[in-house]
Amino acid sequence: MSTEEQQTRQPVTVFLVDDHALFRAGVRTELESITAEVRVVGEAGSVAEAVAGIARTRPQVVLLDVHMPDGGGAEVLRRVRPELPDVVFLALSVSDAAEDVIAVIRAGARGYVTKTISSKELVRAIARVADGDAVFSPRLAGFVLDAFADRPGSEPISDPDLDLLTPRERDVLRLLARGYAYKEIASELFISVKTVETHVSSVLRKTQLSNRYELSRWASDRRLV
């Protein structure tokens, strides 16, 4: 991003979710003291408070704790994402356990960083997920790759929506999300253009989406790209 773009860009609005008030206060102070690139618009210490607060403030990014007494980050994701699909979630947790990382990413978080992250790195992570990137602390990226790569030795993780698609439909969707034209997909998979169209129509029906853009985003959210 150029200097001019940095100067004219509006701050990324952020909502903090963590059951420790002292930690929330520290994060808010750090973010607001070191940069004008982000603006904290609210905070919550429980799932119910988070759901209500996010709906009220409509932030661009939610910094989300994984473990909370009343359900945790995955529950916030399950309750918020269907209503506010444009809100981006970045998990910020003390846990670096593979099962925690996989669960919250599967629920729809765009990234996962641990609380050992520096303030400047956290600001960069917030900006990146707001721009559509996926962000992980280096050690955690391997967990995600293993879980979503469909390779021998990977732990199979169930996704009811993804499980509706046939292997061929997944192949077509993966190429479509990478920007391939129908003709290019047909050539890559050694099938006809009409067969590609049939698969795309089937995927649209099963996912209840309406166009290629939505399909690409759906595939990206599930790390198919």
Side-chain angles (χ1 to χ4, degrees), residues 15-177:
F15 193 97
L16 308 176
V17 180
D18 194 287
D19 62 331
H20 292 94
L22 189 61
F23 177 78
R24 296 198 309 271
V27 172
R28 179 189 282 268
T29 299
E30 283 291 310
L31 292 179
E32 292 179 343
S33 66
I34 69 170
T35 183
E37 292 180 45
V38 301
R39 178 167 61 90
V40 178
V41 296
E43 60 181 71
S46 70
V47 171
E49 289 177 359
V51 172
I54 295 166
R56 183 179 68 253
T57 59
R58 303 294 179 98
Q60 292 168 268
V61 176
V62 174
L63 284 182
L64 184 65
D65 192 16
V66 173
H67 294 294
M68 292 186 289
D70 56 346
E75 180 63 20
V76 175
L77 281 155
R78 280 191 288 269
R79 291 170 61 177
V80 171
R81 289 193 80 230
E83 302 298 325
L84 299 172
D86 292 333
V87 175
V88 179
F89 290 82
L90 174 62
L92 175 63
S93 176
V94 69
S95 172
D96 61 359
E99 58 270 24
D100 288 335
V101 178
I102 294 166
V104 77
I105 296 302
R106 176 63 74 193
R110 191 64 184 164
Y112 194 118
V113 294
T114 61
K115 290 180 178 178
T116 58
I117 192 171
S118 72
S119 300
K120 290 183 178 179
E121 289 172 334
L122 181 58
V123 169
R124 284 196 293 269
I126 291 169
R128 286 182 58 193
V129 295
D131 285 339
D133 290 342
V135 179
F136 300 94
S137 294
R139 181 174 178 271
L140 309 183
F143 298 153
V144 179
L145 288 173
D146 286 344
F148 291 85
D150 288 332
R151 66 189 188 192
S154 300
E155 180 185 355
I157 307 262
S158 176
D159 181 332
D161 294 328
L162 193 57
D163 291 344
L164 291 174
L165 307 185
T166 67
R168 180 57 86 188
E169 287 170 348
R170 294 191 197 191
D171 291 339
V172 170
L173 177 58
R174 185 177 290 109
L175 294 175
L176 189 73

Side-chain angles (χ1 to χ4, degrees), residues 164-198:
L164 291 174
L165 307 185
T166 67
R168 180 57 86 188
E169 287 170 348
R170 294 191 197 191
D171 291 339
V172 170
L173 177 58
R174 185 177 290 109
L175 294 175
L176 189 73
R178 290 175 180 171
Y180 282 56
Y182 283 10
K183 186 176 181 180
E184 294 171 320
I185 295 173
S187 176
E188 185 78 14
L189 299 179
F190 302 101
I191 57 179
S192 69
V193 173
K194 185 164 183 61
T195 300
V196 173
E197 293 173 348
T198 300

